[in-house]
């Protein structure tokens, strides 16, 4: 389920492409929920800037896939189906997992908090009925900025930080995960 970093497109995505990609992801999610009627994990990489599919985002994605598979194994949850693909919005993973959706979301939130790259992952859990369980369901605060700790949404909206600084921080987090021998 891993993606080869050397095959990244490096394509600068336009806003219309990004919006179409998100619509396609929602359609895929709906098809998976219809097929399996089990909770669905939809996993992407938080990637600032116009290039969503890069060697960097694929390497970060592969670490996330490894962590999600290990989580399912440790929890003795059955993965009914899994896939990895690349869309205009970057690497994407889908895993249909037999587990209580609430428990699955709590475990993925813990993964986002405990793994060195967790801040760079966007792990959505959808109930079999299609409801997205969000951080708000668990009274958790919004995501924080990679650089300053303020609201990530506010910093992104205000273009508070240079893209090069954000990418440098992403590289540093990836280097940290690699140096800890956390294998993707």
């Amino acid at each position: 389920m891993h993606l080869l970093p050397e095959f990244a497109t490096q394509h600068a995505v336009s806003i219309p492409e990004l919006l179409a990609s998100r619509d396609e992801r929602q359609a895929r999610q709906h098809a998976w929920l219809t097929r399996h009627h089990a909770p669905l994990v939809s996993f992407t990489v938080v990637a600032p800037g116009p290039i969503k599919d890069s060697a960097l985002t694929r390497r970060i994605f592969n670490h996330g896939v490894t962590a999600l598979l290990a989580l399912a194994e440790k929890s003795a949850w059955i993965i009914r189906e899994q896939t990895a693909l690349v869309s205009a919005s970057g690497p994407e993973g889908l895993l249909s997992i037999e587990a209580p959706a609430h428990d699955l979301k709590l475990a993925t939130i813990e993964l986002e908090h405990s793994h060195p790259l967790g801040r760079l992952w966007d792990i959505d859990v959808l109930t079999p009925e299609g409801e997205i369980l969000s951080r708000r369901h668990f009274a958790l605060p919004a995501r924080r900025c990679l650089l300053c700790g303020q609201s990530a949404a506010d910093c992104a909206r205000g273009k508070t930080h240079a893209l090069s600084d954000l990418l440098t921080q992403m590289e540093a987090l990836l280097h940290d995960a690699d140096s800890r021998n956390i294998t993707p």
Side-chain angles (χ1 to χ4, degrees), residues 2-3 5 43 45-46 54-66 115-121 146 165-184:
H2 290 91
L3 297 171
F43 166 59
V45 174
V46 176
S54 66
L56 175 64
T57 58
R58 286 188 180 207
R59 290 175 61 210
I60 291 166
F61 175 84
N62 289 342
H63 275 279
V65 167
T66 298
H115 194 284
L117 293 172
R119 176 57 193 84
L120 301 176
W121 300 334
L146 281 175
D165 292 342
L166 291 165
L167 294 174
T168 297
Q169 180 62 14
M170 290 173 69
E171 289 275 5
L173 292 171
L174 179 59
H175 177 73
D176 179 49
D178 287 341
S179 68
R180 293 183 192 202
N181 290 324
I182 299 173
T183 55

Side-chain angles (χ1 to χ4, degrees), residues 36-116:
H36 295 293
H37 203 70
L40 178 66
V41 173
S42 179
F43 166 59
T44 58
V45 174
V46 176
I51 297 177
K52 306 298 185 187
D53 180 29
S54 66
L56 175 64
T57 58
R58 286 188 180 207
R59 290 175 61 210
I60 291 166
F61 175 84
N62 289 342
H63 275 279
V65 167
T66 298
L68 285 168
L69 295 176
L71 173 65
E73 185 177 335
K74 180 183 94 173
S75 303
W77 292 332
I78 296 168
I79 299 174
R80 289 185 176 181
E81 185 179 355
Q82 62 186 358
T83 193
L85 55 100
V86 180
S87 68
S89 53
E92 177 184 340
L94 292 170
L95 300 97
S96 179
I97 300 179
E98 285 185 29
H102 184 269
D103 296 351
L104 191 52
K105 182 59 181 179
L106 283 175
T108 60
I109 288 170
E110 173 56 28
L111 199 56
E112 288 176 337
H113 286 277
S114 64
H115 194 284

